[in-house]
Amino acid sequence: MSETTDFRVEREALERFMKAVLGRAGADEASASAATRALVTASRMGTDSHGLRLLPHYVQALQGGRLKGVPRMRFERRLPATGYLDADDGLGHLAAYRAMEHAVEMAEQVGMGAVAVGNASHFGAAGCYALAAAERGLIGLVTCNSDPFVLPHQGSRPFHGTNPIAFAAPVAGEQPYLLDMATSAIPWNRVQQYGAIGRELPDQVAADAEGRVTRTPGEVAALLPLGGSEFGFKGAGLGGMVEVLSSMLAGMQHGYRLLPMGGPDMASPRGIAHFVMALRPDAFAPGDPFPACLRRYLDDLRAQPGRNGGEVLVPGDREWACQAQRDARGIPLDSANQAAYAELAERLDVPPLRPLS
């Protein structure tokens, strides 16, 4: 494979490759399809750190026994608008998509639906599952806990995970409003991604083993909460909120007690927890004013003057622009991902990806 950074592949080719690789690693059709859907969605929107870069990790977790390739997920509707999904240590992508399907079904019936997910696993980009609600005309909210990567505010060792929050809302005539953020200053996968390509980190996002701010990926021992060293109480508070919604509603252990995502133990399930919620917009104010109100808000926001030639964007604008570009030009693989995908193809006897000509 070429080692240039202009190695681009068609979306359909990437999907075929991922499904084939996950299948060879032991995932059933539903699991492989859900993981592929989430990873390709993230990479189409430019979030490669939570997209195609993660495929080798999931293969390792499946082959090591941490993940069940053929899980028996069970859903129990507890009340008219609440439920619990036992993910049976399967791929988190399948668990989150299924949980959101149940939440949407309840919301369509009674106005809202919320599902706690236990015995789950890493699910990539949280925005994929909030987006699944918005694509059905509903508002979606998703959270997930993770193992400790983030210093508490004024703390000296990691306690919270990156604990993402994702929110999506349908917008008439255009792509959804989509917010997908870690409660840390950056996600851990971004550190790994920057390290793989030899790129320096921004300031005030990560710390070394002594708790000192560093911009060198190889020195990073912890992330800083959103707000950095001075205002990190905000990100730390949001990280705790995610923990309450995720692990505690699902009856799972909180993130500080989870096994590390990266191993070395790739045989024991981690017991990650998710929380998903769907809201039916027309179930609230009389007359269904939501579409018009949201339209006015977005129009007014985009019309605000930019600073130093900048443009005021709505959450999701950048991602949808990237998606349009990558759908037209192909999805790029950097040199590290090219090597990883070539190794997967050879080891699992799957036809390798070929770049667009």
Side-chain angles (χ1 to χ4, degrees):
M1 293 176 108
S2 168
E3 288 298 311
T4 69
T5 57
D6 199 32
F7 187 102
R8 293 176 176 269
V9 299
E10 292 180 335
R11 168 188 173 183
E12 293 79 6
L14 183 59
E15 290 173 339
R16 287 193 298 271
F17 182 85
M18 286 183 170
K19 287 181 182 179
V21 164
L22 290 166
R24 288 296 182 95
D28 60 17
E29 174 63 26
S31 298
S33 293
T36 295
R37 175 185 175 188
L39 295 180
V40 173
T41 295
S43 279
R44 288 174 69 208
M45 293 190 293
T47 314
D48 292 319
S49 62
H50 284 60
L52 60 86
R53 194 194 66 81
L54 288 171
L55 181 62
H57 169 76
Y58 298 132
V59 169
Q60 184 184 18
L62 284 164
Q63 293 185 322
R66 170 185 285 181
L67 297 176
K68 292 181 182 178
V70 188
R72 291 190 170 187
M73 299 186 180
R74 297 176 297 278
F75 176 72
E76 178 186 359
R77 188 165 179 175
R78 304 278 295 160
L79 291 170
T82 66
Y84 174 74
L85 179 73
D86 183 339
D88 193 32
D89 302 316
L91 280 158
H93 320 79
L94 179 62
Y97 276 128
R98 283 196 176 171
M100 185 56 82
E101 288 174 5
H102 289 297
V104 166
E105 180 181 354
M106 290 186 287
E108 289 174 341
Q109 293 174 1
V110 298
M112 61 188 301
V115 178
V117 184
N119 297 313
S121 65
H122 192 269
F123 65 9
C128 296
Y129 316 105
L131 182 61
E135 290 171 343
R136 297 276 295 273
L138 285 82
I139 294 170
L141 174 70
V142 177
T143 67
C144 176
N145 72 339
S146 67
D147 49 311
F149 291 117
V150 186
L151 297 179
H153 185 53
Q154 297 186 334
S156 60
R157 65 177 183 178
F159 182 79
H160 284 130
T162 52
N163 291 15
I165 300 170
F167 176 86
V171 181
E174 65 178 74
Q175 297 278 22
Y177 178 106
L178 177 61
L179 171 69
D180 187 357
M181 54 172 276
T183 51
S184 57
I186 59 171
W188 184 261
N189 281 332
R190 192 68 52 81
V191 175
Q192 296 175 305
Q193 182 187 32
Y194 277 36
I197 61 177
R199 183 173 174 181
E200 189 177 58
L201 292 166
D203 192 21
Q204 290 294 315
V205 300
D208 62 18
E210 304 300 321
R212 299 174 300 221
V213 175
T214 180
R215 300 184 65 180
T216 303
E219 296 177 356
V220 173
L223 303 176
L224 295 180
L226 186 66
S229 57
E230 187 171 354
F231 297 101
F233 58 88
K234 297 184 178 182
L238 288 172
M241 181 195 77
V242 168
E243 200 70 73
V244 171
L245 288 174
S246 303
S247 60
M248 295 167 201
L249 282 182
M252 305 299 293
Q253 61 185 359
H254 62 80
Y256 182 69
R257 297 176 178 268
L258 290 174
L259 290 172
M261 176 180 174
D265 182 357
M266 298 300 286
S268 301
R270 298 174 66 216
I272 284 178
H274 310 156
F275 173 78
V276 308
M277 183 168 65
L279 302 172
R280 183 173 151 184
D282 66 355
F284 294 86
D288 190 21
F290 178 81
C293 289
L294 182 56
R295 167 55 58 203
R296 285 194 296 270
Y297 165 71
L298 298 180
D299 289 346
D300 286 349
L301 179 57
R302 290 189 176 111
Q304 297 306 300
R307 177 172 54 87
N308 297 329
E311 180 183 8
V312 175
L313 300 175
V314 166
D317 282 352
R318 191 182 305 277
E319 288 79 2
W320 301 129
C322 181
Q323 178 175 287
Q325 181 187 65
R326 289 189 170 190
D327 283 352
R329 299 184 54 208
I331 297 172
L333 276 71
D334 62 31
S335 58
N337 286 317
Q338 291 171 41
Y341 273 50
E343 191 277 333
L344 286 174
E346 181 175 1
R347 177 161 56 90
L348 297 175
D349 193 24
V350 171
L353 279 174
R354 300 297 183 191
L356 285 165
S357 54

